[in-house]
Amino acid sequence: MSKTSYNPFQAAQKQFDHAADLLELNQAARDFLRNPMREFHFTIPVRMDDGTKKIFNAFRIHHNDARGPAKGGIRFHPMETIDTVRALSMWMTWKTSVVDIPLGGGKGGVVCDPHNLSQFEQEQICRGWIRQIVKNIGPNSDIPAPDVMTNPQHMLWMLDEFETINGGRFPGTITGKPLGMGGSQGRTEATGYGTIITVREALRELNIKPENTVVSIQGFGNVARYAVELYNKMGGKVICVSSWDNNDQKSYAFRKKEGINLEELTEITDSFGGIDKNKAQDLGYELLDGDTWIEQEVDILIPAALENQITEKNADKIHQRVKLIAEGANGPTAPDADEILNKQNLLVIPDFLANAGGVVCSYFEQVQNNMNYYWSKDEVLAKLDMKMTSAYASVSDFAKQNNVTLREAAYLISVDRVANACQSRGWI
Ligand code: NAD
């Protein structure tokens, strides 16, 4: 999908402006909340394996920390832009607020493509990123985590650099760490599982049994795969997933009408979530154009790849059987497309609610780090379920009582909480 005319930050601001209008926020509150509080732009020099030096551009943005330290992932992506990071940091503020955890919103990124970098080069980027931002992150100020194309190993390299510079052990500085190194059980599963917990609650309200539903998913990375796992456990069938093919520089969809097999597809998927198209065909998957994930005759769509994937151009291709869209990715629906979905009476579980499981579990990871005492996986997942279920119920109840969409309800609840925190601090 082309990204040329789409600016995610403008989309995020448009969504915020709508909430600000409904909440009748004063001008100072609008000016303050529609922009990040702090932005860091920096460069990371890296000695490449061939001996040459290469400079990578990187960012960290704190959108808002009124309710607690800034919190949000770091992306490695060749198309990363400052406006993408701004948008993602703003969505993090609303996400931590809607699930009511004592954290704010931040996001980071490095313009790079780890497909073309050795492990050593990636380690240098991680350590260089920390060296540039070390004074402005920490368990009480800003807590990074993994996101697209970053993983627990990257987080551990970053933590190690932070701890080496500061001379001590501060595991709560970064979440998404490996198990046994301060990571939490359940963190890897948390975002995808959280998305499906919100799907389960929405289906309950719609009076539909999960075992009678069929799903199509965009992406096959961390969020998508664990969404498939929990949804399958609930008896649902995934008939289509998609992924980015780095060799062909395009995406493909993989369809099996009797239901995809998570294990066999995972075995032929690289560490970036790219499915091997030849092996998939050998296993009996139909190979389709990447954009066709949205046209499938299913009950539920789960975009779980990148932002700006459901647009004015393809929203009308959604099959009339679809009843529910759960936004596993951040910002997958452009604001103009949102209006089309509303007219089609589709129930849309908005991104910052549907994919909040990751940050909820990151918060649990920090709590465990602070206690230096670790919970079992069952305990973590039970707490995750409770938090996601209650957040979904609050948003859904608010939507019904005020006759607004789930997205509007989620925005009204979360922006109101953040605005109140800023006001109590005397900022606005
Ligand atoms: P990932 O890197 O593990 O996987 C991304 C997947 O999307 C891969 O399968 C990749 O091949 C696919 N993809 C990339 N471009 C595509 C395209 N144009 N068409 C089809 N597929 C494409 O990333 P992830 O962690 O699963 O994150 C996915 C989304 O969820 C992102 O928007 C991310 O910000 C959001 N998110 C992730 C987490 C988390 O905990 N991982 C939490 C909240 C939100």
Side-chain angles (χ1 to χ4, degrees):
M1 194 97 20
S2 162
K3 284 183 126 194
T4 44
S5 60
Y6 172 79
N7 182 318
F9 187 44
Q10 283 169 5
Q13 288 186 316
K14 191 171 173 182
Q15 291 168 337
F16 165 74
D17 290 343
H18 181 55
D21 287 345
L22 293 174
L23 287 167
E24 298 178 0
L25 289 188
N26 67 34
Q27 195 57 45
R30 286 166 194 254
D31 291 346
F32 191 66
L33 291 173
R34 77 194 301 278
N35 288 300
M37 290 174 65
R38 264 169 244 116
E39 294 191 353
F40 304 92
H41 302 219
F42 45 93
T43 46
I44 307 173
V46 170
R47 186 189 301 282
M48 306 300 281
D49 290 352
D50 65 5
T52 59
K53 276 284 175 84
K54 197 167 171 185
I55 308 301
F56 293 89
N57 291 309
F59 316 105
R60 185 69 182 172
I61 294 185
H62 300 160
H63 173 260
N64 192 284
D65 60 8
R67 301 182 75 251
K71 181 88 194 84
I74 303 165
R75 262 186 197 188
F76 285 179
H77 200 279
M79 307 285 282
E80 194 66 305
T81 67
I82 186 68
D83 275 345
T84 311
V85 185
R86 286 178 175 134
L88 290 163
S89 73
M90 190 193 265
W91 288 324
M92 281 307 300
T93 302
W94 314 141
K95 194 180 302 189
T96 52
S97 175
V98 81
V99 290
D100 207 7
I101 53 178
L103 293 167
K107 202 80 183 188
V110 181
V111 186
C112 71
D113 188 351
H115 287 99
N116 310 324
L117 296 166
S118 71
Q119 286 295 300
F120 183 68
E121 289 163 343
Q122 292 181 42
E123 180 178 345
Q124 301 315 303
I125 291 179
C126 291
R127 291 186 185 278
W129 193 90
I130 290 292
R131 285 198 293 274
Q132 296 289 16
I133 195 78
V134 68
K135 290 198 180 73
N136 299 96
I137 65 163
N140 300 318
S141 54
D142 174 13
I143 306 133
D147 196 75
V148 172
M149 289 205 268
T150 52
N151 59 40
Q153 176 63 74
H154 295 121
M155 297 306 110
L156 193 57
W157 285 325
M158 288 184 173
L159 179 67
D160 184 66
E161 191 68 24
F162 182 90
E163 292 184 332
T164 303
I165 293 168
N166 286 294
R169 292 287 171 254
F170 310 97
T173 305
I174 286 181
T175 59
K177 300 178 291 294
L179 283 176
M181 296 301 293
S184 173
Q185 294 282 353
R187 173 62 186 86
T188 314
E189 295 88 343
T191 307
Y193 276 24
T195 304
I196 296 303
I197 291 167
T198 63
V199 166
R200 181 192 69 201
E201 294 307 301
L203 289 177
R204 200 198 308 273
E205 286 184 341
L206 293 169
N207 238 329
I208 300 171
K209 290 198 165 88
E211 57 268 35
N212 296 336
T213 61
V214 176
V215 166
S216 173
I217 302 184
Q218 187 191 36
F220 198 61
N222 173 267
V223 178
R225 286 208 291 268
Y226 287 102
V228 175
E229 186 171 283
L230 187 58
Y231 178 68
N232 280 344
K233 277 189 197 156
M234 279 165 28
K237 189 165 78 174
V238 180
I239 62 152
C240 185
V241 295
S242 72
S243 78
W244 179 254
D245 188 302
N246 201 49
N247 293 326
D248 297 356
Q249 288 292 300
K250 71 185 289 281
S251 60
Y252 292 106
F254 301 84
R255 184 169 69 182
K256 207 177 229 184
K257 287 197 172 154
E258 60 271 31
I260 68 147
N261 179 318
L262 179 60
E263 248 169 60
E264 71 177 12
L265 264 192
T266 302
E267 270 173 29
I268 59 164
T269 300
D270 66 24
S271 60
F272 305 106
I275 300 170
D276 184 318
K277 65 176 189 297
N278 298 322
K279 289 184 180 159
Q281 282 174 296
D282 291 344
L283 289 167
Y285 288 83
E286 285 175 81
L287 184 69
L288 309 171
D289 187 86
D291 292 344
T292 58
W293 73 278
I294 202 171
E295 300 167 17
Q296 302 305 311
E297 186 183 343
V298 291
D299 306 283
I300 305 164
L301 291 174
I302 304 182
L306 289 174
E307 60 281 348
N308 193 33
Q309 298 301 307
I310 304 179
T311 67
E312 279 183 301
K313 291 199 181 99
N314 63 8
D316 59 351
K317 292 189 181 151
I318 295 174
H319 198 279
Q320 56 191 24
R321 177 171 164 186
V322 176
K323 297 162 195 81
L324 179 64
I325 300 179
E327 296 181 337
N330 286 309
T333 307
D336 294 345
D338 218 18
E339 287 163 25
I340 303 173
L341 305 183
N342 292 340
K343 280 188 195 131
Q344 290 170 354
N345 270 331
L346 279 162
L347 189 64
V348 180
I349 309 174
D351 49 3
F352 66 89
L353 172 61
N355 68 32
V359 78
V360 167
C361 202
S362 275
Y363 166 60
F364 294 158
E365 181 174 332
Q366 245 209 329
V367 171
Q368 294 169 81
N369 293 153
N370 291 343
M371 294 190 298
N372 206 7
Y373 173 77
Y374 290 83
W375 305 330
S376 70
K377 188 167 180 178
D378 285 350
E379 206 172 341
V380 173
L381 293 179
K383 286 182 164 67
L384 174 72
D385 199 325
M386 224 157 32
K387 201 72 180 148
M388 294 303 295
T389 304
S390 87
Y392 180 87
S394 309
V395 170
S396 175
D397 290 349
F398 187 99
K400 281 182 212 135
Q401 280 158 20
N402 296 282
N403 197 23
V404 293
T405 65
L406 290 182
R407 193 185 311 280
E408 286 170 324
Y411 262 102
L412 292 172
I413 291 171
S414 57
V415 173
D416 191 47
R417 280 181 187 151
V418 177
N420 281 333
C422 294
Q423 209 164 26
S424 324
R425 285 178 180 276
W427 292 353
I428 53 176

